[in-house]
Amino acid sequence: MKIEKIQALRGPNIWSISRKKLIQMRLNLEELEQFPTNKIDGFRERIEKLLPSLITHRCSEGYEGGFFHRIETGTWMGHVIEHIALEIQSLAGMETGFGRTRETKTPGVYNVVFTYIEENAGIYAAEEAVKIAQALIDNEEYDIENCIQQLKEIRERVRLGPSTGSIVEEAQSRRIPWIRLGKNSLVQLGYGINQQRFQATITGKTSSIAVDIACNKEITKKMLEDSAIPVPSGDLVTDNDGLERVIRKIGFPLVLKPLDGNHGRGQTINVQDWETAKEGLVYAQTISHKVIVERYVTGFDYRVLVINHKMVAAARRVPAHIVGDGLATIQELIDLENQNPRRGYGHENALTEINVDKDTVELLGKLEYTLETIPQKGETVYLKSTANLSTGGTSIDVTDMVHPENITMCERISKIIGLDVCGIDIMAENLTQPLKESGGVILEVNAAPGFRMHLAPSEGLPRNVAGPVVDMLYPPGKPITIPIIAVTGTNGKTTTTRLISHIVKNNGYRVGFTTSDGIYIQNTMLTKGDTTGPISAEFILKDPTVEFAVLETARGGILRSGLGFGQCDIGVLTNINEDHLGINDIHTLKDLTKVKRVVLDSVKKNGWCVLNADDEYSMRLINDLDARVAIFSLDEQNPFIKKFAKEGRTTCILEEGHITIKKGDWKIRIAKVINIPITMEGKAKFMIQNVLAASLATYLHGFEIEDIANSLRTFIPSAQLTPGRLNIFKFKNFKVLIDFAHNPAGYEAIEDFLKNIESPKKIGIISGVGDRRDSDIRKCGQIAGRMFDHIIIRNEKHLRGRTEEEINALVIDGIHSSGKNPSFEIIPKEMEALKHAMSLAEEGTYITALSDVVTNAIELVQNYQTKELQEDME
C-alpha cells in the first residue's frame, strides 16, 4: 500500500456539508487490490484481538459487529483503514464516527475519508491506520497503546483548553461561526465588523487595567480592603527581615505566595514555624521577587465565578487526595484513583490524573508519611497544597447554596476590580452565611478563571458557564456575522464577483472580496494572485473593517480543503462547463457539478441560490437544493423561466434589450444593456450573463433597483478594474483584446463576441493549457481556427508535466479540424508573440490575446500605447 496524498478538509466539502472536519487520504492499494480481507488468512482474528472495540462499528450491516462481518465476508483494505483511523481517534478521547471509502477512476486507488477532531491528530491517525493494517496483514506486532498515547499527546499540544473549548461549543450551538487565530487559544467569533475575540476566558471586552490589578495581589488586596471586603491580614515582603516583621505582627499559621503567581504556583500554606517560613519565601521567590505573607485562614476553598458582573456559578474546590482502606499504600491508592474514568491525560476528561511531585512529597513528609505508607481505613490524605483541577483536585458545585449577601459582594468585587469574567477565591467554613458572620475572607481575584470545575464538577450540577460569556459578547439584537455572497462556476466568476462588490460598495458597505486576481477591501488590492480558496475567504472574514463579503470560490480550493466559511446568504453558480477535467478525480461534468454545488449547499435555508437557466448542468440542481432558488437567462422564453413565472418565483432576464427582474407576471426593468459598459453595448453576451447574475443576487439581498442600475452604469471595464476580462486597447490602426479565456466555453464566448467585430484581419494569440484533457486542448484550437485569420501559438508559463511539442501538436490538430484554413506560426514566448502580432497589424486589424498571464500582456500593450502617443506628440 502507498499513501499518495493526505488532505485536511476544514469546511463544507464534497463529502459532507455539515461534517466540515474531514481527512481525505488518497490510498493506492497496489497488489492488495487483489486481496480483500477474506483472502488474508487470520486477518479477522488479528484485528479483533488488536482492536476489540471495533465490534461497536455497525458499518453498512446496521448491527453491532457489522464491521467484523464485512471483514469476514471480504472488504477492501481502504475500508478497513477508514474504520481503524476512526477507532484509534476515539480510543484517544476524540469521538469520531463518519467515514467514507470510495474507489477513484484509477483501479486500486481509493479516497479514504473520515472525521477528525484535531487536524494533526487526524493526519497521524491516517498514517498510523495504514501501518496498523499492514502489520495485521503481515502478522507482525503493533504497539497500539503507544499509538493511542501519541494521539493523546498530539491532541493535548494543539487542542483548545476546556474553558476556550466550552465557549466555542456554546457559540457553535447558536450557529455563531468561529475561527482559531494562530495555534494558541485566541479565537474569533463571528465575521468581519461583527466579530468578537477571546483567549481562554479573557475577552475583547476585558479591561487590561483590570487584568493588571488582578495579577497584582497587593493592589487587589488594598482595593478590596478599602472597599470593606474581608481579606486576610498580611503584608508584602522581599527578605527575611520583612518576613520576621510580618510574623511578629500576625503570627502563625501563615500562607506565602508570589505576588505575580497564578494556578497555585510557588505557594506554601499552613506554615507553623520560622524555618518553614524561610523555605516558603525562597520557594515563592522562584516565581516573583515580591512575596505576599498572610494569615492562614482555615475553612474550605471556594471559587465563585462572576460573568458580566453577575454570579453564574460557585464551587467548593478539594485538593487532590486519596482515602485510605487500611490495606493499600498511598502510591497504590493514587494509581487506583488515576484509573477513574473521569480522570485523564491533560484536559481530556473532567479530572486530571494525580502526579506525585515535590509538593506531594513535602505534604506527606509533614505527616511523616511516604508513598509506601498504608493510611488507616477512612483516612483522607491530601496530596497537593492547592485545589487546582490541573493538579488533580476535584470540585463540588454549591451555586444554589450561596447566600444572597455573598452573591452581592462577589458581583461588587467584579466591578471594583473591573473584570468582565472574574474568578473569586474565598476561604470560609461555608457560603450559606454572609462572610462577615462565618469569618471567611477573599483570598484572590482571578482574571481568566478556568471553567472546568463548573462545567464538570465531581459532585453537584454542571453549569453552562460558557453561555453567559456568549450572551455578553452577543447580546440580543447584535449581529453575529456579515452578509456573504459566494460566487462559483466555470466562467464569469471573477467579473460577477466584481460586479456584485461594486453594487454593494455603492450601497454604502465596506466590502471585502476575493478573486482570481487578488484580495480586495473596497477597491484596494491587499494580496495579489489567485485568491479563490478558503484561506483567502478567511482573510476577508477575519478583517474587522469588512461589512460585506463577496467571495469568488473556485473548484481547486473546495477540493483542497473545503470552503472557508460555514454558510453564506447567497450562492451564485454562473455555469458549469468543461474545464480542469481529468484532475483530482473530477472527470465529467457530473463530477464537476458535485464540486460546485458545495457552495449552493452551504446557503442558509432562508437564503438564495442563483442559477443560470441557460446552463444544462446548473438546471439539474434546481429541485435538489434546500435554500430558495432564483434563476437568470438571456432568453425570456427559456422553459425554466416560463415555469418560474407561472409559479410566481423570481427570475432575471434579458428582455427587449433590458436587464429585467421578473416575478410572476410583473416585471421591473433595471437598465438597458447598451448603457451597461461591461456588455460592450450588448455585443458580449457572456458579460450580459454576468450582469444578470449580479443583478439578481443583489436584488435578492434587498438592494433597490435604482441603486443596482446606477452601479451597473458606473462599472467601467478596464485593465485596472477587470484585468483580463475583455480588456480592449485602442491604437491608431488596430485594436488589441486581452482576455483570460482558457477553456472551450471561454473561447466560444470570445468567438461570439468577435462575430460582432468588423475587421479585415483578426489575429489570435493562443496556447494550450498543460493540465487540460487532450480533447479540451484540441477543442480550443478548433474554435481559434474558426475565429481567427492568423494564429500565433505561444507556450504556457507552466506546462504541468507536458512538453511544448505535445501541447502545440494538439492545438494544431484542433486548428486543422476547424473547417477553415487560417495561417499559423509558433512563437514560444508570450511577450515576443504579442510584439510580433502588433508588427503584423494593418489598418483595422483586431488582435486577440488569450493569455494566462494577463498582467504581463496588459503591461506590454499599455507601454506600446504610451510609445505611440509620445510619437504622435512629437
Side-chain angles (χ1 to χ4, degrees), residues 503-531:
I503 295 167
V504 170
K505 181 172 70 75
N506 284 355
N507 275 272
Y509 287 90
R510 187 172 182 81
V511 61
F513 59 99
T514 62
T515 71
S516 57
D517 310 316
I519 299 173
Y520 297 80
I521 294 182
Q522 295 297 74
N523 282 329
T524 301
M525 178 188 281
L526 300 179
T527 300
K528 187 177 182 179
D530 187 344
T531 58

Side-chain angles (χ1 to χ4, degrees), residues 191-473:
Y191 290 149
I193 197 171
N194 293 317
Q195 66 181 262
Q196 295 287 343
R197 296 175 185 168
F198 70 95
Q199 185 165 21
T201 57
I202 289 181
T203 77
K205 295 179 178 292
T206 303
S207 161
S208 61
I209 293 177
V211 173
D212 287 343
I213 292 170
C215 289
N216 189 312
K217 295 177 174 57
E218 182 184 25
I219 294 176
T220 299
K221 184 175 179 180
K222 181 72 166 59
M223 291 179 70
L224 295 182
E225 194 172 23
D226 290 348
S227 301
I229 304 293
V231 294
S233 56
D235 208 343
L236 194 67
V237 305
T238 58
D239 53 31
N240 286 345
D241 290 342
L243 177 61
E244 186 177 9
R245 174 180 52 79
V246 173
I247 291 174
R248 282 200 304 269
K249 180 179 178 182
I250 65 176
F252 293 106
L254 301 173
V255 175
L256 290 90
K257 52 189 176 182
L259 177 65
D260 301 322
N262 55 27
H263 301 297
R265 294 183 305 140
Q267 289 191 21
T268 305
I269 68 170
N270 196 16
V271 175
Q272 300 282 355
D273 58 75
W274 171 247
E275 290 301 321
T276 306
K278 288 194 294 182
E279 291 173 4
L281 177 61
V282 172
Y283 182 45
Q285 287 184 323
T286 61
I287 307 297
S288 170
H289 179 63
K290 295 181 180 180
V291 177
I292 293 176
V293 181
E294 293 177 340
R295 176 77 178 175
Y296 176 61
V297 180
T298 59
F300 295 106
D301 185 336
Y302 292 97
R303 164 64 65 83
V304 176
L305 181 63
V306 180
I307 297 174
N308 203 21
H309 309 303
K310 297 291 182 184
M311 192 201 88
V312 298
R316 182 181 137 198
R317 301 190 295 179
V318 183
H321 63 278
I322 50 90
V323 179
D325 61 4
L327 299 172
T329 66
I330 291 174
Q331 183 63 66
E332 289 170 339
L333 291 168
I334 291 173
D335 293 341
L336 183 65
E337 175 58 28
N338 281 340
Q339 292 176 21
N340 181 342
R342 286 175 59 81
R343 292 193 183 274
Y345 179 83
H347 291 149
E348 71 175 326
N349 289 336
L351 301 176
T352 301
E353 292 178 354
I354 301 170
N355 293 318
V356 174
D357 58 11
K358 178 177 178 288
D359 188 27
T360 307
V361 173
E362 288 180 352
L363 283 175
L364 294 177
K366 290 178 181 179
L367 298 172
E368 298 184 351
Y369 283 0
T370 70
L371 292 171
E372 302 307 313
T373 301
I374 299 176
Q376 296 179 13
K377 187 175 182 179
E379 179 185 0
T380 299
V381 179
Y382 289 99
L383 304 168
K384 303 291 178 184
S385 57
T386 62
N388 298 76
L389 266 66
S390 59
T391 61
T394 58
S395 65
I396 302 168
D397 179 72
V398 296
T399 303
D400 297 329
M401 303 177 189
V402 183
H403 192 280
E405 192 171 309
N406 290 335
I407 293 174
T408 301
M409 179 191 66
C410 289
E411 293 175 349
R412 183 166 165 254
I413 287 170
S414 74
K415 291 186 177 181
I416 291 168
I417 303 303
L419 286 171
D420 58 338
V421 181
C422 178
I424 301 168
D425 292 343
I426 300 173
M427 184 63 71
E429 290 299 325
N430 61 70
L431 292 183
T432 58
Q433 295 176 279
L435 291 195
K436 63 185 178 183
E437 295 180 11
S438 68
V441 294
I442 305 301
L443 297 178
E444 289 185 16
V445 179
N446 300 275
F451 284 180
R452 188 159 54 137
M453 70 184 75
H454 308 296
L455 295 166
S458 303
E459 298 179 34
L461 292 175
R463 304 289 173 170
N464 177 16
V465 293
V469 175
V470 179
D471 290 339
M472 175 180 67
L473 297 176

Side-chain angles (χ1 to χ4, degrees), residues 619-643:
M619 288 299 94
R620 291 186 183 187
L621 300 174
I622 200 166
N623 297 316
D624 194 28
L625 299 168
D626 290 336
R628 295 174 290 180
V629 175
I631 57 177
F632 61 92
S633 174
L634 292 168
D635 180 10
E636 187 178 2
Q637 300 306 313
N638 178 295
F640 291 103
I641 295 292
K642 293 172 73 174
K643 181 175 184 294

